[in-house]
Short mmCIF file of all heavy atoms in Angstrom, two decimals:
data_model
loop_
_atom_site.label_atom_id
_atom_site.label_comp_id
_atom_site.label_asym_id
_atom_site.label_seq_id
_atom_site.Cartn_x
_atom_site.Cartn_y
_atom_site.Cartn_z
N PHE A 1 -3.74 13.80 8.67
CA PHE A 1 -3.59 14.65 7.40
C PHE A 1 -2.09 15.19 7.32
O PHE A 1 -1.67 15.78 8.39
CB PHE A 1 -4.60 15.73 7.40
CG PHE A 1 -5.98 15.30 7.10
CD1 PHE A 1 -6.75 15.00 8.17
CD2 PHE A 1 -6.26 15.11 5.74
CE1 PHE A 1 -8.03 14.45 7.88
CE2 PHE A 1 -7.70 14.73 5.57
CZ PHE A 1 -8.35 14.34 6.52
N ARG A 2 -1.54 14.90 6.29
CA ARG A 2 -0.12 15.37 6.12
C ARG A 2 -0.05 16.59 5.19
O ARG A 2 0.91 17.31 5.14
CB ARG A 2 0.71 14.23 5.58
CG ARG A 2 0.74 13.12 6.54
CD ARG A 2 1.63 13.50 7.73
NE ARG A 2 1.72 12.23 8.59
CZ ARG A 2 1.91 12.41 9.84
NH1 ARG A 2 2.00 13.48 10.41
NH2 ARG A 2 2.02 11.28 10.52
N GLU A 3 -0.94 16.76 4.22
CA GLU A 3 -0.86 17.82 3.21
C GLU A 3 -2.24 18.53 2.99
O GLU A 3 -3.25 17.76 3.01
CB GLU A 3 -0.35 17.24 1.93
CG GLU A 3 1.16 16.79 1.93
CD GLU A 3 1.98 17.90 2.13
OE1 GLU A 3 1.84 18.98 1.70
OE2 GLU A 3 3.01 17.59 2.89
N VAL A 4 -2.16 19.71 2.80
CA VAL A 4 -3.30 20.45 2.36
C VAL A 4 -3.11 21.37 1.23
O VAL A 4 -1.88 21.99 1.13
CB VAL A 4 -3.92 21.35 3.54
CG1 VAL A 4 -5.05 22.29 3.04
CG2 VAL A 4 -4.22 20.67 4.68
N GLY A 5 -3.78 21.22 0.12
CA GLY A 5 -3.38 22.00 -1.04
C GLY A 5 -4.51 22.10 -2.16
O GLY A 5 -5.59 21.71 -1.84
N GLY A 6 -4.18 22.47 -3.32
CA GLY A 6 -5.22 22.71 -4.44
C GLY A 6 -5.41 21.35 -5.02
O GLY A 6 -4.93 20.23 -4.58
N GLN A 7 -6.28 21.35 -6.14
CA GLN A 7 -6.63 20.19 -6.70
C GLN A 7 -5.55 19.44 -7.44
O GLN A 7 -5.64 18.26 -7.73
CB GLN A 7 -7.77 20.50 -7.83
CG GLN A 7 -7.30 21.21 -9.03
CD GLN A 7 -8.39 21.57 -9.87
OE1 GLN A 7 -9.68 21.49 -9.62
NE2 GLN A 7 -8.10 21.78 -11.12
N ASP A 8 -4.40 20.02 -7.75
CA ASP A 8 -3.40 19.37 -8.30
C ASP A 8 -2.36 18.82 -7.27
O ASP A 8 -1.27 18.34 -7.80
CB ASP A 8 -2.58 20.35 -9.29
CG ASP A 8 -3.39 20.87 -10.49
OD1 ASP A 8 -4.25 20.12 -10.95
OD2 ASP A 8 -3.24 21.96 -10.87
N LYS A 9 -2.67 18.95 -6.07
CA LYS A 9 -1.76 18.41 -4.98
C LYS A 9 -1.64 16.88 -5.18
O LYS A 9 -2.73 16.19 -5.08
CB LYS A 9 -2.32 18.83 -3.58
CG LYS A 9 -1.39 18.33 -2.50
CD LYS A 9 -0.24 19.18 -2.52
CE LYS A 9 0.62 18.88 -1.29
NZ LYS A 9 1.86 19.58 -1.39
N GLY A 10 -0.60 16.37 -5.12
CA GLY A 10 -0.23 14.96 -5.44
C GLY A 10 -0.06 14.28 -4.06
O GLY A 10 -0.06 14.76 -2.99
N PHE A 11 0.33 13.06 -4.24
CA PHE A 11 0.52 12.23 -3.05
C PHE A 11 2.03 11.96 -2.78
O PHE A 11 2.42 11.03 -2.02
CB PHE A 11 -0.11 10.76 -3.21
CG PHE A 11 -1.61 10.86 -3.32
CD1 PHE A 11 -2.25 10.91 -4.37
CD2 PHE A 11 -2.30 10.93 -2.05
CE1 PHE A 11 -3.72 10.94 -4.50
CE2 PHE A 11 -3.67 10.99 -2.03
CZ PHE A 11 -4.41 11.07 -3.31
N SER A 12 2.96 12.72 -3.39
CA SER A 12 4.35 12.50 -3.35
C SER A 12 4.86 12.63 -1.85
O SER A 12 5.79 11.84 -1.34
CB SER A 12 5.11 13.35 -4.32
OG SER A 12 4.91 14.68 -3.90
N GLN A 13 4.37 13.63 -1.12
CA GLN A 13 4.79 13.87 0.18
C GLN A 13 4.24 12.85 1.25
O GLN A 13 4.71 12.66 2.23
CB GLN A 13 4.48 15.21 0.65
CG GLN A 13 5.37 16.27 0.08
CD GLN A 13 4.56 17.06 -1.01
OE1 GLN A 13 3.41 16.63 -1.36
NE2 GLN A 13 5.23 18.01 -1.57
N VAL A 14 3.13 12.26 0.85
CA VAL A 14 2.46 11.28 1.78
C VAL A 14 2.61 9.82 1.25
O VAL A 14 1.97 8.85 1.73
CB VAL A 14 1.05 11.62 1.99
CG1 VAL A 14 0.95 12.93 2.77
CG2 VAL A 14 0.23 11.49 0.84
N ALA A 15 3.43 9.58 0.26
CA ALA A 15 3.48 8.31 -0.39
C ALA A 15 4.02 7.19 0.73
O ALA A 15 3.49 6.00 0.61
CB ALA A 15 4.45 8.23 -1.37
N ASP A 16 4.96 7.60 1.61
CA ASP A 16 5.44 6.65 2.62
C ASP A 16 4.57 6.44 3.81
O ASP A 16 4.83 5.76 4.71
CB ASP A 16 6.81 6.85 2.87
CG ASP A 16 6.98 8.21 3.48
OD1 ASP A 16 6.13 9.13 3.24
OD2 ASP A 16 8.11 8.45 4.18
N GLN A 17 3.57 7.32 3.90
CA GLN A 17 2.66 7.30 5.19
C GLN A 17 1.46 6.32 5.01
O GLN A 17 0.83 6.27 3.97
CB GLN A 17 2.28 8.74 5.43
CG GLN A 17 3.30 9.78 5.64
CD GLN A 17 4.06 9.50 6.82
OE1 GLN A 17 3.45 9.12 7.93
NE2 GLN A 17 5.24 9.79 6.88
N GLU A 18 1.27 5.51 5.94
CA GLU A 18 0.17 4.60 5.77
C GLU A 18 -1.24 5.13 5.91
O GLU A 18 -2.11 4.87 5.10
CB GLU A 18 0.38 3.45 6.87
CG GLU A 18 -0.67 2.33 6.67
CD GLU A 18 -0.36 1.16 7.70
OE1 GLU A 18 0.82 0.92 7.91
OE2 GLU A 18 -1.32 0.53 8.17
N ASN A 19 -1.49 5.92 7.00
CA ASN A 19 -2.84 6.54 7.14
C ASN A 19 -2.74 7.96 6.93
O ASN A 19 -3.29 8.83 7.65
CB ASN A 19 -3.32 6.33 8.52
CG ASN A 19 -3.69 4.82 8.81
OD1 ASN A 19 -4.08 4.16 7.76
ND2 ASN A 19 -3.47 4.30 9.93
N ALA A 20 -2.22 8.55 5.79
CA ALA A 20 -2.14 9.92 5.46
C ALA A 20 -3.22 10.27 4.35
O ALA A 20 -3.27 9.44 3.47
CB ALA A 20 -0.68 10.26 5.12
N TYR A 21 -3.64 11.38 4.50
CA TYR A 21 -4.73 11.82 3.51
C TYR A 21 -4.35 13.25 2.97
O TYR A 21 -3.55 13.98 3.72
CB TYR A 21 -6.09 11.94 4.05
CG TYR A 21 -6.62 10.57 4.56
CD1 TYR A 21 -6.39 10.09 5.78
CD2 TYR A 21 -7.46 9.82 3.59
CE1 TYR A 21 -6.78 8.84 6.05
CE2 TYR A 21 -7.99 8.52 3.89
CZ TYR A 21 -7.62 8.01 5.22
OH TYR A 21 -8.11 6.79 5.53
N VAL A 22 -4.87 13.69 1.97
CA VAL A 22 -4.66 15.02 1.32
C VAL A 22 -5.95 15.62 1.36
O VAL A 22 -6.91 15.16 0.86
CB VAL A 22 -4.12 14.87 -0.14
CG1 VAL A 22 -3.95 16.27 -0.76
CG2 VAL A 22 -2.69 14.33 -0.03
N ALA A 23 -6.04 16.79 2.00
CA ALA A 23 -7.21 17.64 1.96
C ALA A 23 -6.99 18.81 0.81
O ALA A 23 -6.20 19.49 0.94
CB ALA A 23 -7.40 18.43 3.36
N ALA A 24 -7.70 18.44 -0.19
CA ALA A 24 -7.54 19.35 -1.42
C ALA A 24 -8.74 20.37 -1.70
O ALA A 24 -9.83 19.98 -1.42
CB ALA A 24 -7.37 18.40 -2.62
N ASP A 25 -8.35 21.48 -2.14
CA ASP A 25 -9.26 22.50 -2.42
C ASP A 25 -9.67 22.41 -3.96
O ASP A 25 -8.94 21.85 -4.66
CB ASP A 25 -8.71 23.89 -2.13
CG ASP A 25 -9.73 25.00 -2.04
OD1 ASP A 25 -10.95 24.70 -2.00
OD2 ASP A 25 -9.47 26.17 -2.07
N ASP A 26 -10.93 22.97 -4.35
CA ASP A 26 -11.27 22.97 -5.74
C ASP A 26 -11.64 21.50 -6.33
O ASP A 26 -11.51 21.30 -7.52
CB ASP A 26 -10.37 23.68 -6.63
CG ASP A 26 -10.20 25.10 -6.21
OD1 ASP A 26 -11.16 25.60 -5.66
OD2 ASP A 26 -9.08 25.67 -6.49
N ILE A 27 -12.00 20.50 -5.48
CA ILE A 27 -12.48 19.25 -6.05
C ILE A 27 -13.95 19.12 -5.41
O ILE A 27 -14.17 19.53 -4.36
CB ILE A 27 -11.51 18.15 -5.69
CG1 ILE A 27 -11.38 17.93 -4.22
CG2 ILE A 27 -10.12 18.34 -6.25
CD1 ILE A 27 -10.64 16.61 -3.80
N GLU A 28 -14.76 18.38 -6.16
CA GLU A 28 -16.09 18.21 -5.71
C GLU A 28 -16.34 16.92 -4.93
O GLU A 28 -17.22 16.82 -4.20
CB GLU A 28 -16.94 18.06 -6.97
CG GLU A 28 -17.01 19.54 -7.67
CD GLU A 28 -17.95 19.50 -8.95
OE1 GLU A 28 -18.76 18.56 -8.95
OE2 GLU A 28 -17.79 20.47 -9.67
N SER A 29 -15.62 15.90 -5.24
CA SER A 29 -15.83 14.66 -4.59
C SER A 29 -14.39 13.96 -4.15
O SER A 29 -13.44 14.22 -4.74
CB SER A 29 -16.70 13.53 -5.40
OG SER A 29 -15.99 13.29 -6.60
N ALA A 30 -14.52 13.09 -3.18
CA ALA A 30 -13.34 12.38 -2.65
C ALA A 30 -12.98 11.25 -3.63
O ALA A 30 -13.80 10.63 -4.25
CB ALA A 30 -13.61 11.89 -1.13
N TYR A 31 -11.73 10.97 -3.62
CA TYR A 31 -11.22 9.79 -4.37
C TYR A 31 -9.86 9.40 -3.79
O TYR A 31 -9.12 10.21 -3.38
CB TYR A 31 -11.20 9.92 -5.93
CG TYR A 31 -10.22 11.02 -6.39
CD1 TYR A 31 -9.01 10.77 -6.72
CD2 TYR A 31 -10.81 12.32 -6.43
CE1 TYR A 31 -8.14 11.80 -7.21
CE2 TYR A 31 -9.95 13.38 -6.87
CZ TYR A 31 -8.64 13.07 -7.24
OH TYR A 31 -7.81 14.06 -7.72
N MET A 32 -9.64 8.09 -3.80
CA MET A 32 -8.39 7.48 -3.21
C MET A 32 -8.27 8.10 -1.85
O MET A 32 -9.18 7.93 -0.99
CB MET A 32 -7.11 7.87 -4.05
CG MET A 32 -7.25 7.09 -5.36
SD MET A 32 -5.98 7.37 -6.50
CE MET A 32 -4.46 7.09 -5.50
N ARG A 33 -7.18 8.79 -1.49
CA ARG A 33 -6.93 9.36 -0.17
C ARG A 33 -6.97 10.89 -0.29
O ARG A 33 -6.43 11.60 0.50
CB ARG A 33 -5.68 8.92 0.32
CG ARG A 33 -5.57 7.41 0.51
CD ARG A 33 -4.23 6.99 1.19
NE ARG A 33 -3.19 7.34 0.26
CZ ARG A 33 -1.91 7.23 0.54
NH1 ARG A 33 -1.45 6.72 1.77
NH2 ARG A 33 -1.00 7.58 -0.21
N LYS A 34 -7.78 11.43 -1.22
CA LYS A 34 -7.90 12.98 -1.39
C LYS A 34 -9.36 13.27 -0.99
O LYS A 34 -10.20 12.77 -1.71
CB LYS A 34 -7.52 13.32 -2.85
CG LYS A 34 -7.31 14.78 -2.97
CD LYS A 34 -7.05 15.15 -4.49
CE LYS A 34 -5.66 15.07 -4.73
NZ LYS A 34 -5.16 15.61 -5.95
N ILE A 35 -9.44 14.08 -0.03
CA ILE A 35 -10.74 14.51 0.50
C ILE A 35 -10.94 16.06 0.18
O ILE A 35 -9.96 16.94 0.41
CB ILE A 35 -10.85 14.24 2.00
CG1 ILE A 35 -10.59 12.77 2.19
CG2 ILE A 35 -12.17 14.70 2.59
CD1 ILE A 35 -10.46 12.42 3.64
N PRO A 36 -12.14 16.38 -0.27
CA PRO A 36 -12.38 17.85 -0.54
C PRO A 36 -12.27 18.62 0.77
O PRO A 36 -12.91 18.25 1.81
CB PRO A 36 -13.73 17.89 -1.15
CG PRO A 36 -14.34 16.57 -0.98
CD PRO A 36 -13.17 15.63 -0.64
N LEU A 37 -11.70 19.82 0.65
CA LEU A 37 -11.56 20.64 1.80
C LEU A 37 -12.93 21.13 2.21
O LEU A 37 -13.07 21.39 3.53
CB LEU A 37 -10.71 21.93 1.49
CG LEU A 37 -9.96 22.60 2.56
CD1 LEU A 37 -9.27 21.70 3.37
CD2 LEU A 37 -9.17 23.73 2.04
N TRP A 38 -13.91 21.28 1.41
CA TRP A 38 -15.12 21.86 1.83
C TRP A 38 -15.97 20.83 2.71
O TRP A 38 -16.87 21.24 3.50
CB TRP A 38 -16.21 22.14 0.62
CG TRP A 38 -16.47 20.98 -0.21
CD1 TRP A 38 -15.79 20.74 -1.47
CD2 TRP A 38 -17.36 20.01 -0.10
NE1 TRP A 38 -16.26 19.63 -2.05
CE2 TRP A 38 -17.31 19.17 -1.27
CE3 TRP A 38 -18.42 19.84 0.76
CZ2 TRP A 38 -18.11 18.12 -1.35
CZ3 TRP A 38 -19.19 18.69 0.60
CH2 TRP A 38 -19.08 17.83 -0.46
N ALA A 39 -15.59 19.57 2.65
CA ALA A 39 -16.21 18.48 3.41
C ALA A 39 -16.07 18.74 4.92
O ALA A 39 -16.95 18.17 5.69
CB ALA A 39 -15.76 17.09 2.95
N PHE A 40 -14.97 19.32 5.19
CA PHE A 40 -14.64 19.56 6.74
C PHE A 40 -15.61 20.56 7.28
O PHE A 40 -15.74 20.74 8.58
CB PHE A 40 -13.23 19.87 6.86
CG PHE A 40 -12.32 18.73 6.58
CD1 PHE A 40 -11.72 18.66 5.40
CD2 PHE A 40 -12.15 17.73 7.42
CE1 PHE A 40 -10.82 17.70 5.04
CE2 PHE A 40 -11.39 16.67 7.07
CZ PHE A 40 -10.83 16.62 5.89
N GLY A 41 -16.27 21.44 6.50
CA GLY A 41 -17.20 22.31 6.95
C GLY A 41 -18.49 21.66 7.62
O GLY A 41 -19.11 22.17 8.40
N PHE A 42 -18.70 20.44 7.15
CA PHE A 42 -19.82 19.78 7.74
C PHE A 42 -19.63 19.14 9.13
O PHE A 42 -20.43 18.77 9.88
CB PHE A 42 -20.38 18.63 6.88
CG PHE A 42 -20.84 19.10 5.48
CD1 PHE A 42 -20.25 18.76 4.28
CD2 PHE A 42 -21.98 19.83 5.51
CE1 PHE A 42 -20.87 19.15 3.13
CE2 PHE A 42 -22.61 20.23 4.32
CZ PHE A 42 -21.99 19.94 3.16
N LEU A 43 -18.30 19.15 9.50
CA LEU A 43 -17.84 18.58 10.81
C LEU A 43 -17.94 19.69 11.79
O LEU A 43 -17.75 19.42 13.05
CB LEU A 43 -16.47 18.03 10.75
CG LEU A 43 -16.33 16.82 9.63
CD1 LEU A 43 -14.82 16.36 9.66
CD2 LEU A 43 -17.15 15.70 10.20
#
């Protein structure tokens, strides 16, 4: 994970990283390489 931010957080900082994901707040489901922050509560 390279970035943690809100729902408007983009992929510009992780564009050149191969296995980088964005953990975003205020989203309900995952898409592309953006995972909701609440999902980590299940881990």
